[in-house]
Amino acid sequence: MKPAAFDYVRADTLDEALAVLAAEGGDARIIAGGQSLMAMLNMRLARPKVLVDIMRIGDLDRIAEERGRIVVGAGVRQAKLLAWSELAAKLPLVALALPWTGHEQTRSRGTICGSVAHADPSAETPLCLIALEGEVHLRSARRRRVVAAGDFITGMMNTARQDDEMIEAVSFPIRAGNGYGFREVARRHGDFAITACAAIASANGIRLAVAGVADKPEVRNWPDLDGSALDDALNAFAYELDARDDIHATARYRRDLVRQIGREVIMEARRCRA
Amino acid sequence: MPRLTATQRHSVRFRLNGHPVEGSAEPRMQLADFLRHELGATGTHVGCEHGVCGACTVLVDGMLTRSCLTLAVQVDGCDVRTVEGLAPERGRLSVLQAAFRRHHGLQCGFCTPGVLMSLDRYLSTNPNPTEDQLRELLSGHLCRCTGYTPIIRAAMEAAATLASSTRQEDSTHV
Amino acid sequence: MGHPAATPSSATAQDSAWIGRSMERVEDAALLSGNGRFIDDLGVRPGTLYAAILRSPHAHADILSIDTMAAKAAPGVAAVLVGADVKALTASLVVGVKAPVECWPIAMDRVRYVGEPVAVVVASDRYKAEDALDLIDVRYAPRPSVIDPLAAITPGAPLVHDGFPNNVASDRHFSYGDPEGAFASAAHRIAIDINYPRNSCTPIETYGVIAEYNVNDGAYDILANFQGPFSIHAVISRALKLPGNRVRLRTPPDSGGSFGVKQGVFPYIVLIAAAARVAGRPVKWIEDRLEHLCASNSATNRATTLSAAVDATGKILALDWDQVEDCGAHLRAPEPATLYRMHGNLTGAYDIRHMRVRNRVIVTNKTPTGLNRGFGGPQVYFALERLMQCIAVELDFDPLDVIQRNVVPSGAFPYRTAPGALLDSGDYVKALELGASSGGLEELKARRAAARAEGRIYGIGYAAIVEPSVSNMGYLSTVLTLAERRKAGPKNGAQATATVSIDPVGAVSVHISSVPQGQGHRTVVAQVIADIFGVVPQDVRVNTEVDTAKDAWSIASGNYSSRFAAAVAGTVKIAADRIAARLKRIAASHLNVEADDVTFSNGKVHSQSNPDNAMPFARVAALSHWSPGSLPDDVGHTIRETVFWTPPELAAPDDADRINSSLCYGFIFDYCGVEIDRVTGEVRIDRYVTTHDCGTILHPGMVDGQIRGGFGQGFGAALLEEFAYAPDGSFLAGTFADYLVPTATEIPNPVIVHMQTPSPFTPLGAKGVGEGNCMSTPVCIANAVADALGEKNITLPLVPARVRALIAGDEPPAPAGVTTQPRSRKPGDRGLQGEGSAEVGASPQAVWDMLLDPNTLQAVIPGCHSVEKVSDTHFRAEVTLGIGPVKGKYRAEVKLSDLDPPHAVTLSGSADGALGHGAGEGRITLVPREGGGTTLTYKYDAEIGGKVASIGGRLLDGATRVIIGQFFSALAHRAGGGGAADGAASGLRAWLRALFGGAR
């Protein structure tokens, strides 16, 4: 269980990393924390020709507040964001969800942007980014662009990133006054979510995002529904997610969790709403 | 910006338990293999090579790190700590190691080096852990022998011992 | 006959200085410091090569060809072996029953389970060996496979081995007492059907073998983390076609857990030995985790129907067992031992005089089975103790009352069971009382009542079992008929060995062939010696490595059937006592006292009556080296004593098939309270109490360690762990993210209660204790869940989705307008169905022409490099498929059939590559749209297997749909697609939207 051979580039600057991507395209792969990619390399599921290590590039491990958004650079490890003193105040949903990502021993290495780039349908960070209407900041040698998180993740482990692009940062809007709820059901602590639900209650109503069921996190916006109207909305959402069976859970179980946990987190978010 | 070619071995240097070490590795070589088979530091064990079992956990620049999910070339120039560096001196045991022995916190000892690295790191920054915190920390390690309870007991005792010795040191400094 | 008094504290412990104390282990300092010496930590000879193994992605297939040319030419590669190369050097491994069936460590011309070795590459390092694996081209012709044990014995099922008719390797009937009469006269007949799943104890250290062939000596030297039994040494040397003295098998100083599992390394010992012989160099192989989970070994899964004849008071008069034991694809030694290990104690802890048994051993397309902690116990007790709970429910008794009414009565020990076990000692009635009072059973019942009053789902479960230890090497011959046994000759006993040596400075060393994997044998042996010689354990050196060329060993050597404390430690005592007796006579002559007056303590040999009359132990002990001529005449020497000990109670099966399958039988009484989360179906253990009587306790800390470890594994088997297979034989639990081992956040801390009734049959009064909770805990938790839910049909593992299915009512229907995909038939089924549609600008005829055009196919098949037209309707392609960073090369075949130009066509395809294989069929219909263009609709059915199924099961269905979607999207795109039609599946719709209207 050893990786196939690849070249390794330790980029000192962003331009160097982008130059390799421009030259090698789909044969190159960025390695940051490596917590998803390395397992795939060891199993020879992934066989890039060159790995570009971006963790020595200065400035990428920045957490900054800019124009009402929290910008998280490509070098920011999950543990660093989790330990950031302003997290609970600025991004309460992320503060609730991030402890569910893997274990202390993987959060210490894995990065926020790497999790978004990997686009695992069960992952908490893409769920939060989509739920919060965050953005993905892409950079290539030729251009910079910003893609809404909901558009960035196009399917299971599929994103709108072009081969010559890398994620430079992701950004989460800061929304004062909203209430948040998060809950996840997994087989064991730290496992991939069978179903993870994130709810945001704002002045405009409720927003529910679900990971682990469809090929990517899916979102619905509703007015402040209650009672059977909320049940019906959750039920419709549960079916629309087109859940599947696997060895860990059945489709029916996942739909049940969307209905039940979805309702729970919505109630929780409403309670927390200012 | 060095580009290390796939088919050649490249020099890798870092500090291991405080001492400079050097070896050579293809870019694809796992840090775990490099530690064990290039440097002879066989205390770090390999249990799954996909980041779940935790046996290969080491410290890189103070961060808990699965050495199977890390390339040797990635840690060039870093500070790496492994189980071999835990004891205060050769032939002695650290407070944590001694607590493991006292509470039978190990049986086969294969997962133990990784478990010790996580606990040693954690206790250094969280001197008064709760049992729940320790159980959550250890959820990143698989042990098939002990059922974990003796490990938790050892860690709780080590935390208490370390805390009281720190208090003593503090008071002697006053 | 009287029985030894059961007391909560050990009389033996009070008498002795070291035995019975939880001293710190002598093993631990090295293990805690990174100085363990596991097999992969030891150096190898210069020039050693490294092996990697190519494995079957198919559950059942004929091997059409294996092309190793490119692999042999790859950098660093020294040799590539396939089945024929191994066959040329070895013989088939012996099969446990008489049948025209062979068992090889590598596939010959047919693979029979996912993960079966197909080729071995030997190269200069493991990385390069794996590179070469990628270059081996194997062509398979898949056969139908059979996975379910009851399906396997259904007439017409695919045959795994032609020599096992109906897949049955053995079918034996047994009858003890008068079961027919008992069933006829009983007030009630109560029965239960069980399907016990597959799981394994998965040690964290995997298998390892280092082998070398000395061509001049014609002999192998092999180091492996094998654990015994060393009866397997005979199997290995037979397979290597050499006498045993030319197969030197050694074990490393440390082994990273085994729990039985590392018995299963032996086929790889043969395989790697053959590779070393071919390569002409030492060869090392360390199994990786994917190999281990998929193909190392598994406990048996078993389908059981168990019936009881019960009288009106709840007393069981007779049992009727029908066990169908699934040993997987090969009946590997020592199977079918899992089935027969428990044979003598099939009546459990109960006084049941009549019993009928039917035992069938069958084969399926799954990994071959082998030793796993509990070995047969979990399967038997799950049926028996579930039945006890069902009897209580059906007759409206308290489950504990039914247990108490049926256990072997106090004072009846040693007790001979109907099938022949001699339950050596115990007081089950008292243990039940002790467990209930010490563990707080009444309080737990109050907690249940309170929880239920609040509407919570809470239940209490019980299990009362006997835990056999020290296996009779003759029990397996119970599988043979009396006539076959007479022909084969008697098999019985269990030789334990110990060698105690004294060196020229009087230091004591001990060697035992017990091959521990973390059980602390060195510490306990040091305690035994310290008590006898009056020294401290730290001064005693104990070696547990086995070298079959130099050490005392027997076929019974090794670490299994919990035999250490009862047999091996006792044999150490016998050997040390013999030396001590001689030392006493030597000392007596120096101290001028009678030998009976000599005793050992505090490092001295002295007179009991006058302790000041003393000599240092070391001086007396060393005399045999320095002045043998001055020893008393008939003392001989005290330099070394080797003892072989076998208990006389372990006789061969008698003519009535009665067998005392083990030497000792401990008793366990477990109960637990569980609460079930109504929303998630998660089972939370509120309290777990486990009461053990394992005879004399030698080291309390280690006994509790064994109990906690076994409990952890039993807990995992109950709630988390399963080697899941799809109906097509794909293995679905190939990583530690799929095979879920419990962690510190899941396993609760059990309450442990002890009672000690020494065994009259073992030198130290000790019995085994390591396996019991693997037997009792799964069914105890299941009984609690059954009680909580009022449900009879409880299947392990109790995954939340399965539990919730028992409490959730009907599902709310889907709202109008939301269509759901037709789904696979049951969880884990690899069948995948989907459908979708697209509107394209081209006419139906134009689309039709494209479908039959290789150039178009090349353009629309995802990642297609080339298309070869075999016929007008048959194409062959080389493709790269994948999602995200996961990409692999495949050989694809595409066939068109049921042509209805230009309206409809069936497209069937298959793909085969290193990451897996898939096959699917889709019907495409083309309907002209008003105003031009075509609505292209497709419906497909696909099956995926191989590596991606075992390690990426969670994502596989989604990934497959993406790839199939890619094909149709590309087709639609090429045909001038404009957008997705309504009604398409949401996943594909999203994908199509992204492709046509999204980011690009």
Side-chain angles (χ1 to χ4, degrees):
Chain A
M1 201 174 156
K2 309 293 181 189
F6 47 76
D7 287 1
Y8 170 84
V9 174
R10 188 182 300 121
D12 296 318
T13 66
L14 201 54
D15 287 344
E16 287 175 356
L18 296 174
V20 178
L21 291 181
E24 312 268 351
D27 290 333
R29 199 83 201 170
I30 298 285
I31 185 164
Q35 299 302 288
S36 301
L37 182 60
M38 269 300 292
M40 291 177 152
L41 292 172
N42 289 347
M43 294 181 192
R44 298 195 177 209
L45 290 172
R47 320 175 68 122
K49 289 208 175 101
V50 54
L51 281 191
V52 184
D53 184 348
I54 59 168
M55 295 308 276
R56 309 271 176 120
I57 299 175
D59 250 20
L60 278 184
D61 65 342
R62 221 162 51 97
I63 304 171
E65 183 171 340
E66 291 174 6
R67 294 184 299 279
R69 308 180 74 85
I70 301 299
V71 180
V72 179
V76 176
R77 301 187 196 270
Q78 291 151 5
K80 178 171 176 173
L81 184 60
L82 197 51
W84 182 47
S85 58
E86 293 179 68
L87 185 67
K90 304 284 187 184
L91 301 174
L93 180 62
V94 178
L96 290 172
L98 204 48
W100 292 82
T101 300
H103 303 276
E104 178 110 9
Q105 297 85 354
T106 58
R107 290 193 295 269
S108 63
R109 299 292 293 184
T111 62
I112 295 292
C113 290
S115 178
V116 173
H118 185 57
D120 187 293
S122 291
E124 293 81 5
T125 299
L127 172 71
C128 289
L129 195 66
I130 286 175
L132 294 168
E133 299 175 86
E135 292 175 342
V136 180
H137 302 248
L138 292 162
R139 178 94 178 257
S140 70
R142 39 186 188 103
R143 64 169 175 173
R144 282 182 148 141
R145 64 180 179 126
V146 177
V147 181
D151 296 330
F152 178 74
I153 295 179
T154 53
M156 177 176 292
M157 294 166 73
N158 256 302
T159 69
R161 186 185 69 82
Q162 302 287 308
D163 284 343
D164 65 342
E165 288 178 316
M166 65 170 269
I167 299 178
E168 186 180 13
V170 295
S171 66
F172 300 84
I174 306 167
R175 299 269 161 76
N178 288 353
Y180 299 93
F182 178 86
R183 191 172 163 198
E184 167 172 330
V185 172
R187 290 287 304 279
R188 296 173 307 186
H189 183 78
D191 276 341
F192 293 106
I194 289 172
T195 300
C197 293
I200 304 168
S202 68
N204 303 325
I206 46 184
R207 181 173 167 86
L208 178 67
V210 174
V213 184
D215 287 347
K216 64 191 191 87
E218 293 284 351
V219 187
R220 293 292 182 273
N221 293 297
W222 297 311
D224 270 325
L225 299 174
D226 270 306
S228 64
L230 179 56
D231 288 340
D232 290 345
L234 285 164
N235 187 43
F237 190 17
Y239 276 104
E240 286 158 9
L241 288 167
D242 199 19
R244 283 182 285 268
D245 292 341
D246 63 23
I247 59 170
H248 302 303
T250 57
R252 157 81 197 267
Y253 182 69
R254 291 186 160 93
R255 286 193 294 273
D256 281 345
L257 291 180
V258 172
R259 284 183 284 254
Q260 307 250 10
I261 309 283
R263 177 176 260 279
E264 257 180 47
V265 295
I266 286 169
M267 294 305 160
E268 174 68 18
R270 278 188 186 157
R271 273 194 296 278
C272 303
R273 178 165 52 184
Chain B
M1 177 185 71
R3 178 166 182 145
L4 310 183
T5 51
T7 51
Q8 283 173 307
R9 293 170 76 90
H10 307 271
S11 174
V12 176
R13 296 185 186 89
F14 53 83
R15 290 182 77 78
L16 176 62
N17 299 320
H19 304 288
V21 292
E22 181 176 1
S24 66
E26 288 182 13
R28 60 172 162 170
M29 182 179 269
Q30 296 167 9
L31 174 58
D33 283 343
F34 186 81
L35 287 169
R36 294 175 48 76
H37 302 305
E38 291 297 311
L39 302 179
T42 55
T44 299
H45 296 153
V46 176
C48 78
E49 294 179 280
H50 54 278
V52 182
C53 81
C56 70
T57 305
V58 300
L59 276 182
V60 175
D61 291 341
M63 287 174 276
L64 287 172
T65 299
R66 307 289 210 210
S67 61
C68 74
L69 296 186
T70 308
L71 300 168
V73 292
Q74 281 179 287
V75 306
D76 192 62
C78 294
D79 181 69
V80 179
R81 304 252 159 194
T82 64
V83 66
E84 288 93 341
L86 286 180
E89 61 186 82
R90 280 177 59 168
R92 281 182 59 195
L93 297 182
S94 70
V95 167
L96 179 65
Q97 289 168 316
F100 263 65
R101 182 165 68 176
R102 202 153 39 246
H103 289 273
H104 306 293
L106 68 159
Q107 287 180 28
C108 80
F110 197 80
C111 73
T112 312
V115 173
L116 289 172
M117 295 314 290
S118 278
L119 284 171
D120 187 71
R121 168 78 180 76
Y122 190 83
L123 295 180
S124 71
T125 48
N126 302 274
N128 292 302
T130 63
E131 177 172 333
D132 283 350
Q133 286 172 329
L134 291 178
R135 286 192 178 267
E136 177 157 348
L137 171 73
L138 292 177
S139 70
H141 293 274
L142 300 182
C143 168
R144 283 303 240 172
C145 293
T146 63
Y148 304 105
T149 295
I151 296 176
I152 301 288
R153 285 183 181 163
M156 292 295 282
E157 186 196 272
T161 308
L162 290 167
S164 72
S165 68
T166 310
R167 275 196 301 278
Q168 276 172 9
E169 272 171 40
D170 288 349
S171 58
T172 53
H173 287 303
V174 171
Chain C
M1 181 171 176
H3 62 98
T7 53
S9 66
S10 161
T12 314
Q14 289 159 1
D15 300 343
S16 56
W18 294 102
I19 283 295
R21 276 213 236 167
S22 288
M23 64 173 278
E24 292 185 352
R25 304 198 316 171
V26 301
E27 290 89 346
D28 287 352
L31 294 173
L32 287 161
S33 307
N35 294 323
R37 288 173 297 153
F38 299 90
I39 187 166
D40 194 34
D41 302 341
L42 306 174
V44 292
R45 288 226 299 134
T48 296
L49 299 167
Y50 297 82
I53 297 172
L54 185 70
R55 293 171 183 276
S56 169
H58 294 280
H60 201 186
D62 290 312
I63 299 174
L64 301 179
S65 64
I66 308 178
D67 182 352
T68 60
M69 285 278 286
K72 281 178 171 157
V77 172
V80 180
L81 287 81
V82 299
D85 303 308
V86 176
K87 196 174 195 171
L89 297 174
T90 66
S92 165
L93 304 169
V94 288
V95 176
V97 297
K98 300 269 173 262
V101 165
E102 293 184 333
C103 175
W104 296 92
I106 185 170
M108 289 302 153
D109 45 15
R110 182 165 155 192
V111 291
R112 292 182 169 87
Y113 62 98
V114 171
E116 181 158 23
V118 171
V120 183
V121 168
V122 178
S124 54
D125 68 51
R126 172 77 183 216
Y127 290 75
K128 290 193 173 65
E130 290 193 25
D131 290 346
L133 290 188
D134 291 344
L135 301 173
I136 298 175
D137 186 8
V138 187
R139 306 255 168 163
Y140 297 96
R143 286 170 173 250
S145 58
V146 62
I147 298 306
D148 178 76
L150 296 180
I153 55 175
T154 305
L159 285 188
V160 180
H161 290 272
D162 301 334
F164 287 145
N166 296 317
N167 294 314
V168 176
S170 164
D171 185 354
R172 284 222 63 195
H173 294 259
F174 303 91
S175 183
Y176 304 98
D178 177 19
E180 285 74 17
F183 272 98
S185 66
H188 306 279
R189 181 190 182 100
I190 297 171
I192 192 165
D193 294 314
I194 300 294
N195 263 301
Y196 199 83
R198 279 198 161 211
N199 49 42
S200 163
C201 296
T202 63
I204 304 299
E205 183 199 39
T206 56
Y207 293 168
V209 179
I210 305 167
E212 177 175 356
Y213 180 72
N214 184 319
V215 69
N216 306 107
D217 291 351
Y220 289 98
D221 193 333
I222 299 160
L223 180 73
N225 54 12
F226 178 64
Q227 64 129 51
F230 278 75
S231 52
I232 297 293
H233 183 269
V235 176
I236 294 167
S237 45
R238 231 178 183 186
L240 292 172
K241 299 202 277 195
L242 287 172
N245 62 6
R246 289 182 190 276
V247 178
R248 179 180 191 177
L249 177 59
R250 294 178 294 128
T251 62
D254 291 310
S255 182
S258 174
F259 322 107
V261 174
K262 282 175 179 161
Q263 169 267 336
V265 72
F266 83 89
Y268 295 101
I269 291 177
V270 174
L271 188 60
I272 300 304
R277 186 163 175 179
V278 168
R281 305 249 292 269
V283 173
K284 175 173 172 177
W285 172 71
I286 301 293
E287 182 192 49
D288 71 33
R289 182 56 57 185
L290 302 188
E291 296 180 281
H292 187 84
L293 290 170
C294 173
S296 61
N297 133 333
S298 164
T300 61
N301 57 297
R302 188 179 298 177
T304 301
T305 297
L306 176 61
S307 315
V310 188
D311 75 11
T313 69
K315 170 85 181 131
I316 299 170
L317 307 174
L319 289 177
D320 184 357
W321 288 91
D322 185 352
Q323 306 191 91
V324 178
E325 174 84 329
D326 180 353
C327 285
H330 297 286
L331 205 60
R332 246 184 217 163
E335 295 290 27
T338 311
L339 185 57
Y340 283 90
R341 190 258 180 124
M342 305 297 288
H343 195 81
N345 51 287
L346 275 177
T347 44
Y350 307 116
D351 176 30
I352 302 170
R353 298 317 308 165
H354 309 285
M355 188 170 80
R356 185 164 57 197
V357 183
R358 182 180 188 189
N359 276 346
R360 276 172 285 184
V361 178
I362 65 121
V363 289
T364 58
N365 293 111
K366 303 203 287 284
T367 297
T369 58
L371 272 62
N372 257 280
R373 194 177 196 169
F375 201 50
Q379 297 89 333
V380 160
Y381 288 122
F382 195 83
L384 184 55
E385 295 302 295
R386 282 291 301 121
L387 182 66
M388 296 301 287
Q389 196 259 355
C390 292
I391 290 170
V393 169
E394 290 200 25
L395 304 185
D396 201 22
F397 290 122
D398 184 275
L400 185 54
D401 287 346
V402 178
I403 290 170
Q404 283 171 325
R405 206 159 300 172
N406 284 287
V407 289
V408 174
S410 303
F413 297 89
Y415 171 91
R416 182 73 71 179
T417 68
L422 185 62
L423 305 181
D424 53 330
S425 69
D427 187 340
Y428 300 174
V429 175
K430 188 169 176 180
L432 293 173
E433 286 166 8
L434 179 70
S437 59
S438 303
L441 177 59
E442 287 310 313
E443 189 208 339
L444 208 57
K445 285 181 175 173
R447 289 172 70 83
R448 174 175 65 184
R452 287 181 174 175
E454 291 171 18
R456 292 186 282 136
I457 309 176
Y458 194 107
I460 293 176
Y462 304 86
I465 71 161
V466 296
E467 174 183 1
S469 51
V470 189
S471 281
N472 184 344
M473 298 314 279
Y475 76 72
L476 185 53
S477 54
T478 319
V479 72
L480 303 176
T481 62
L482 180 58
E484 288 170 332
R485 280 205 297 270
R486 284 193 173 139
K487 199 172 156 197
K491 291 197 173 67
N492 56 55
Q495 291 278 11
T497 70
T499 299
V500 178
S501 310
I502 297 177
D503 73 8
V505 294
V508 183
S509 301
V510 184
H511 177 268
I512 47 173
S513 296
S514 67
V515 203
Q517 301 90 25
Q519 293 87 351
H521 293 183
R522 288 168 53 204
T523 299
V524 174
V525 167
Q527 289 177 288
V528 170
I529 293 290
D531 279 350
I532 292 170
F533 290 146
V535 296
V536 292
Q538 289 75 11
D539 289 344
V540 180
R541 293 284 288 163
V542 183
N543 186 311
T544 56
E545 298 160 54
V546 170
D547 180 341
T548 60
K550 297 195 304 173
D551 296 328
W553 62 279
S554 86
I555 61 158
S557 295
N559 197 24
Y560 61 94
S561 75
S562 305
R563 63 195 303 280
F564 169 74
V568 179
T571 306
V572 170
K573 174 178 158 51
I574 294 169
D577 278 342
R578 286 190 191 165
I579 289 188
R582 282 179 244 151
L583 288 174
K584 282 183 181 178
R585 293 177 54 200
I586 296 169
S589 70
H590 284 260
L591 300 173
N592 287 319
V593 296
E594 291 298 313
D596 287 350
D597 183 42
V598 175
T599 191
F600 303 82
S601 66
N602 298 320
K604 294 218 159 52
V605 187
H606 59 85
S607 158
Q608 253 170 334
S609 47
N610 176 17
D612 291 340
N613 185 13
M615 291 170 70
F617 171 81
R619 203 178 130 210
V620 181
L623 283 173
S624 196
H625 281 278
W626 298 106
S627 58
S630 64
L631 303 184
D633 281 348
D634 52 351
V635 162
H637 69 90
T638 62
I639 293 175
R640 172 174 286 219
E641 182 71 26
T642 295
V643 168
F644 283 74
W645 178 76
T646 186
E649 291 80 11
L650 295 183
D654 70 11
D655 290 358
D657 288 324
R658 281 187 296 251
I659 175 69
N660 185 22
S661 33
S662 302
L663 176 63
C664 318
Y665 301 86
F667 180 71
I668 300 178
F669 170 48
D670 284 4
Y671 58 92
C672 68
V674 304
E675 180 164 0
I676 294 167
D677 185 309
R678 199 176 283 284
V679 171
T680 64
E682 288 163 312
V683 176
R684 185 185 63 82
I685 310 271
D686 185 30
R687 184 190 299 165
Y688 196 103
V689 180
T690 184
T691 304
H692 285 253
D693 183 350
C694 63
T696 305
I697 291 175
L698 305 182
H699 187 297
M702 284 187 212
V703 165
D704 283 1
Q706 287 300 312
I707 291 168
R708 288 208 169 83
F711 170 72
Q713 290 179 332
F715 173 91
L719 297 173
L720 288 163
E721 303 176 28
E722 183 176 12
F723 277 163
Y725 285 83
D728 70 350
S730 290
F731 181 64
L732 303 177
T735 74
F736 267 151
D738 301 290
Y739 188 81
L740 302 183
V741 169
T743 75
T745 47
E746 285 83 40
I747 300 185
N749 182 22
V751 177
I752 300 172
V753 180
H754 288 295
M755 175 168 137
Q756 298 187 53
T757 314
S759 173
F761 301 151
T762 68
L764 292 164
K767 312 185 189 191
V769 69
E771 301 178 84
N773 283 89
C774 284
M775 307 180 188
S776 59
T777 297
V779 67
C780 183
I781 293 173
N783 280 342
V785 170
D787 180 53
L789 301 178
E791 172 71 35
K792 181 172 184 181
N793 187 15
I794 302 289
T795 305
L796 300 187
L798 287 156
V799 303
R802 188 176 268 161
V803 175
R804 167 139 180 112
L806 297 171
I807 47 180
D810 291 338
E811 183 173 17
V818 179
T819 55
T820 55
Q821 295 265 356
R823 277 289 156 248
S824 52
R825 277 69 62 187
K826 53 180 172 171
D829 194 335
R830 292 256 42 79
L832 173 71
Q833 291 137 11
E835 58 188 27
S837 71
E839 300 191 347
V840 300
S843 68
Q845 185 62 47
V847 176
W848 182 264
D849 292 341
M850 289 165 58
L851 278 171
L852 273 70
D853 170 24
N855 292 327
T856 303
L857 282 175
Q858 181 158 351
V860 301
I861 294 175
C864 185
H865 308 297
S866 66
V867 170
E868 175 198 346
K869 185 170 175 176
V870 183
S871 75
D872 279 353
T873 57
H874 183 182
F875 306 90
R876 219 170 256 150
E878 299 282 331
V879 298
T880 298
L881 295 177
I883 56 160
V886 180
K887 289 199 170 63
K889 272 198 175 167
Y890 298 83
R891 204 165 38 222
E893 303 257 345
V894 180
K895 284 180 186 162
L896 303 171
S897 58
D898 297 334
L899 285 80
D900 176 15
H903 306 298
V905 61
T906 296
L907 202 69
S908 54
S910 65
D912 201 345
L915 294 185
H917 52 86
E921 194 171 272
R923 183 74 176 166
I924 301 174
T925 51
L926 307 171
V927 177
R929 290 169 66 207
E930 269 179 52
T934 304
T935 299
L936 182 157
T937 312
Y938 60 88
K939 227 177 155 162
Y940 62 81
D941 203 322
E943 269 196 352
I944 315 292
K947 184 171 176 181
V948 286
S950 64
I951 64 180
R954 188 176 60 89
L955 302 176
L956 190 60
D957 284 4
T960 308
R961 291 204 297 174
V962 167
I963 289 164
I964 292 171
Q966 282 172 3
F967 173 82
F968 288 106
S969 307
L971 182 68
H973 189 63
R974 194 168 171 92
D982 286 335
S986 64
L988 280 170
R989 192 168 59 213
W991 209 92
L992 290 163
R993 200 161 47 225
L995 192 74
F996 296 121
R1000 272 181 205 186

